[in-house]
Amino acid sequence: MKQLVHGLMAFLMTMTMGAAMAADLLLGPGDVLKVSVYGSPDLNLETRVSEGGNISFPLIGQVPLAGLSAAAAEKKIASMLEAGNFVKKPQVNVIVTAVQSQQVSVLGQVNRPGRYPIEGKRSLIDLLAMAGGINGEGGDRVSLIRTRDGKTTREEIDVIEMVRAGQLAKDYALSGNDVLYVERAPKFYIYGEVQRPGAFRLERSMTVVQALSAGGGLSMRGTERGLVIKRRDADGKIRLIDAKQDDLLQVDDVVFVKESWF
């Protein structure tokens, strides 16, 4: 079931990626632009938006473009050329050849962590798809860290449940400098008289008997009457719980299987 849900999520991610339009991109420092003026090849240039948000353009000098779309930048340059009587009714074309200002960091348990440009409208699922999706060690939850109006917030989003339920209200549109962090999948531990002691992925609503199955079942000397869960409480102290087969496990639980004496 887990593989099916992950596969469905990957499919939906791929399908949504094509919806973005580059024209919606807002320009910012570091972006590389190719500007051309129809009929005036001497005015054509490729330039980078400065840290102050400007470009230096022939005849008209410094042009502030930060925060404008490519279409708005075309109109601004054209109006300045016409206002200075340099070109009559100029037709300006602006193409963004490299995006540096509007990037999102995708970190943690993804196949291709890194910084990705937002070319148009990109959502959380879009960016996960661009990063190759959640890898085998990744959990179901993604942390979204954003700064708005000088205030930084962190929200945890259950991506698998969002896709499974078809409720995409939290598939937020992302902006430059947002951070996505995919947590490592929660684990439990099992040791004692089992075939494969060790650490295993904690699935949703996982029971003790399912934990035994993950550990390969009881060894020849094991007994289901001797199951103990070691669980750390809120104060950091270890509690010993006599476990039943249908008890639900929690993150970082340690299941101990005792040896049968007869």
Side-chain angles (χ1 to χ4, degrees):
M1 182 65 180
K2 177 68 66 174
Q3 292 178 342
L4 177 62
V5 174
H6 273 289
L8 175 61
M9 187 179 73
F11 172 77
L12 291 176
M13 286 178 178
T14 303
M15 292 296 292
T16 56
M17 285 183 63
M21 298 295 292
D24 294 327
L25 172 70
L26 299 183
L27 304 177
D31 292 344
V32 178
L33 311 179
K34 188 174 183 179
V35 186
S36 59
V37 181
Y38 180 74
S40 301
D42 54 321
L43 296 180
N44 298 348
L45 81 161
E46 188 165 1
T47 185
R48 185 182 298 272
V49 180
S50 70
E51 287 299 319
N54 306 314
I55 66 167
S56 180
F57 198 81
L59 302 178
I60 56 178
Q62 296 295 307
V63 183
L65 296 182
L68 300 181
S69 66
E74 292 171 349
K75 292 180 180 179
K76 188 173 189 67
I77 295 171
S79 66
M80 294 178 71
L81 286 171
E82 190 167 22
N85 293 318
F86 299 116
V87 181
K88 291 184 178 180
K89 296 183 179 179
Q91 298 180 34
V92 179
N93 184 42
V94 174
I95 299 175
V96 182
T97 59
V99 179
Q100 296 294 328
S101 62
Q102 300 294 317
Q103 293 191 334
V104 171
S105 297
V106 186
L107 307 173
Q109 303 304 314
V110 292
N111 287 301
R112 295 191 300 271
R115 286 177 60 81
Y116 292 88
I118 306 176
E119 299 176 357
K121 295 180 180 179
R122 296 288 192 186
S123 70
L124 182 150
I125 287 180
D126 290 333
L127 267 295
L128 286 178
M130 293 170 70
I134 299 172
N135 66 28
E137 291 294 315
D140 300 342
R141 298 179 181 276
V142 176
S143 294
L144 172 59
I145 303 168
R146 299 189 286 185
T147 300
R148 301 289 187 272
D149 300 323
K151 183 179 179 181
T152 300
T153 61
R154 175 185 177 276
E155 183 174 355
E156 194 173 83
I157 300 161
D158 190 331
V159 179
I160 298 298
E161 184 59 32
M162 180 175 68
V163 173
R164 179 183 288 166
Q167 298 177 350
L168 303 182
K170 290 192 174 183
D171 185 23
Y172 298 120
L174 302 183
S175 300
N177 297 318
D178 287 350
V179 177
L180 290 180
Y181 183 81
V182 179
E183 304 282 351
R184 188 177 296 276
K187 293 184 179 296
F188 74 94
Y189 305 84
I190 188 168
Y191 74 109
E193 296 301 329
V194 289
Q195 300 288 343
R196 294 192 306 271
F200 297 91
R201 184 188 185 103
L202 179 66
E203 304 291 353
R204 294 170 184 258
S205 302
M206 195 170 195
T207 63
V208 171
V209 71
Q210 289 172 325
L212 288 175
S213 177
L218 298 174
S219 70
M220 294 293 293
R221 296 182 297 179
T223 174
E224 293 181 358
R225 291 175 296 177
L227 301 176
V228 175
I229 296 175
K230 297 182 179 181
R231 179 175 296 163
R232 193 177 301 274
D233 62 21
D235 297 326
K237 296 180 179 179
I238 298 294
R239 295 191 298 122
L240 299 181
I241 304 170
D242 291 330
K244 300 180 179 63
Q245 290 188 6
D246 293 333
D247 287 349
L248 296 179
L249 293 183
Q250 298 182 13
V251 178
D252 293 331
D253 275 355
V254 179
V255 180
F256 174 61
V257 181
K258 294 181 180 179
E259 180 180 356
S260 175
W261 294 103
F262 50 86

